[in-house]
Amino acid sequence: MDQLICKNFDEFKAYRGKQLPLGKWLTVTQKMINAFADATKDHQWVHVDLERIKKESPFKKPIAHGFLSVSLLSKMLMDLIDIESLAMGVNYGLNKVRFPHPVMVDSRLRLHSSILMIESYAEKGLKTTWDCSVEIEGLEKPACVAEFVSLMFEK
């Protein structure tokens, strides 16, 4: 995976409508799933109860929360792009989100993405809409597909 490096927002804007580099693999561990369950107070047994999962789950392994996969989008995008003039970025929201396939513990994920839209936002800001698909290694269906919207501000 090559990281896209832009000196400033003007260089970044040239990537609107283009496919970004393929993300690097990230392994979803039980420790991550448990931490997400603790943070969100969602301790549903399909995520954290290993004995019950072995007996009752059709997957026979813990599955990650769907919202865990969408929450990884910020990190995955930051791994792909470095804008040297960036002062800060924040999540703005999601236009569309689906979880076509569950993510089993120890699965490896990577991001496929492109930039759908870039708009000016306030002083020194951009509102960017990213087209994101989170691939699960070895599977045809993705873990998550989403239009992710972020705000970024230059120094």
Side-chain angles (χ1 to χ4, degrees):
M1 181 220 60
D2 295 322
Q3 186 180 43
L4 181 64
I5 298 174
C6 300
K7 289 183 178 162
N8 53 43
F9 281 180
D10 286 336
E11 282 189 16
F12 172 73
K13 289 176 186 177
Y15 291 92
R16 181 177 182 254
K18 296 182 180 173
Q19 193 68 32
L20 298 175
L22 193 58
K24 61 183 175 182
W25 290 109
L26 181 143
T27 302
V28 176
T29 65
Q30 188 63 48
K31 184 176 178 180
M32 289 170 66
I33 294 169
N34 291 347
F36 194 85
D38 290 342
T40 60
K41 306 298 183 208
D42 180 355
H43 293 94
Q44 187 180 159
W45 67 270
V46 298
H47 307 301
V48 296
D49 187 337
L50 302 180
E51 291 308 311
R52 188 170 177 191
I53 289 166
K54 287 178 191 173
K55 293 176 188 170
E56 297 180 39
S57 170
F59 306 111
K60 303 301 180 200
K61 293 172 80 174
I63 59 171
H65 304 72
F67 286 114
L68 172 57
S69 22
V70 80
S71 73
L72 292 170
L73 291 176
S74 294
K75 187 248 186 300
M76 291 175 156
L77 284 167
M78 286 177 22
D79 287 347
L80 288 181
I81 298 176
D82 178 22
I83 303 171
E84 294 172 352
S85 65
L86 183 70
M88 64 172 274
V90 294
N91 298 334
Y92 188 82
L94 298 152
N95 292 335
K96 301 175 185 178
V97 181
R98 294 289 182 270
F99 306 110
H101 197 283
V103 175
M104 259 63 80
V105 69
D106 298 324
S107 293
R108 291 184 355 134
L109 307 178
R110 71 176 168 184
L111 181 63
H112 296 251
S113 61
S114 62
I115 300 169
L116 291 176
M117 189 178 341
I118 300 173
E119 305 168 78
S120 294
Y121 186 88
E123 189 178 334
K124 294 187 175 185
L126 293 179
K127 182 167 73 169
T128 304
T129 304
W130 313 82
D131 183 37
C132 299
S133 179
V134 179
E135 174 188 2
I136 305 169
E137 186 176 38
L139 296 177
E140 190 173 318
K141 286 187 178 180
C144 174
V145 291
E147 278 187 17
F148 178 72
V149 185
S150 66
L151 298 179
M152 299 183 293
F153 298 90
E154 268 188 313
K155 298 175 187 170

